[in-house]
Amino acid sequence: GVRQLHIDAGSSAVEIIAADTAEITAELSGNNRNLSVNRSGNTVEIGVDRSWWPFRLFSFRGSALQVTIPERLHPAVELHAGSGRVKLDDLVFNDVNITSSSGRVCLDGLTVTGNLSVRTSSGRVCLQDSTVSHAVNIRVSSATIHVEDTVAASYELSSSSGRIEASGLPGTEVIASTSSGRIDLGAEELREDWSLRSSSGRIEVTVAQVPRAMRLDFRGSSCRARIADRYGFDFGGSPGNSASALVGTGGPLLHVRT
């Protein structure tokens, strides 16, 4: 059977849907594009190329690629897109690997039994209501990363100048970094270490449950730490540009650098 699905969409918008069908099919709408579908062993490759017919040289209508997969098929997906939007809703995959130049990537209701990786230059990435058995890795250059109510074993979120916002996190390991964007993270509790870094942006962390055991290590070049009293951290003094504190004994570490 098919285990790998490779899609090279060019600048076309991409949507993958599941249906009661026995085969993978692809449908392309719009002008100036050629579609190819090939299978080699357990891999299906779908490609979209620009058509250079002279009478279509000045046609600027966008194109959209819709890929339909059997409901019982859960392949590993590798998807390359240019400026077109990528949309994946309510699907089950083994691994997901997406690269995009400037198109928005919207992932909703996914179940991924392996890893999920997304890379974009300027396209916003949204991941919500999903379950990833292993790691989530999202890297963008100048766009926002938005994660909501998604469970994963670990998260690595990186943006050069865009905002990173994540809510409903399960408290597993998080590494988040941005150069000039803000970081906003929220979880019910911290179960594993979090490492957060921003060169000039604000970092805000909200934990719903007051921790029984937790450590804090904060260093700020131009910012001060503000920690709500309800968390019960023992600073031994007022937190400022540098702060180390703890609640209880041991517990996960919240490592913050600004």
Side-chain angles (χ1 to χ4, degrees), residues 97-128:
N97 189 346
I98 299 172
T99 59
S100 173
S101 296
S102 58
R104 182 172 179 171
V105 178
C106 301
L107 311 174
D108 189 354
L110 298 186
T111 299
V112 181
T113 57
N115 299 307
L116 184 146
S117 173
V118 181
R119 302 283 189 276
T120 75
S121 295
S122 58
R124 175 186 171 99
V125 178
C126 300
L127 172 64
Q128 59 187 28

Side-chain angles (χ1 to χ4, degrees), residues 12-128:
S12 301
V14 185
E15 180 180 18
I16 301 177
I17 63 174
D20 185 11
T21 181
E23 298 181 353
I24 296 177
T25 60
E27 181 178 353
L28 182 66
S29 61
N31 295 329
N32 289 357
R33 300 291 186 272
N34 292 323
L35 174 65
S36 63
V37 180
N38 299 293
R39 177 171 177 175
S40 176
N42 60 12
T43 302
V44 170
E45 297 183 349
I46 299 174
V48 177
D49 298 318
R50 177 179 293 275
S51 174
W52 291 105
W53 292 100
F55 61 83
R56 288 185 175 178
L57 185 59
F58 298 102
S59 174
F60 298 100
R61 180 184 174 187
S63 62
L65 172 65
Q66 184 180 80
V67 178
T68 302
I69 64 175
E71 292 176 339
R72 296 183 179 181
L73 181 65
H74 306 148
V77 174
E78 184 170 332
L79 194 160
H80 302 279
S83 56
R85 176 177 175 176
V86 175
K87 186 173 183 290
L88 307 181
D89 292 348
D90 301 320
L91 296 164
V92 181
F93 295 116
N94 185 356
D95 291 301
V96 175
N97 189 346
I98 299 172
T99 59
S100 173
S101 296
S102 58
R104 182 172 179 171
V105 178
C106 301
L107 311 174
D108 189 354
L110 298 186
T111 299
V112 181
T113 57
N115 299 307
L116 184 146
S117 173
V118 181
R119 302 283 189 276
T120 75
S121 295
S122 58
R124 175 186 171 99
V125 178
C126 300
L127 172 64
Q128 59 187 28

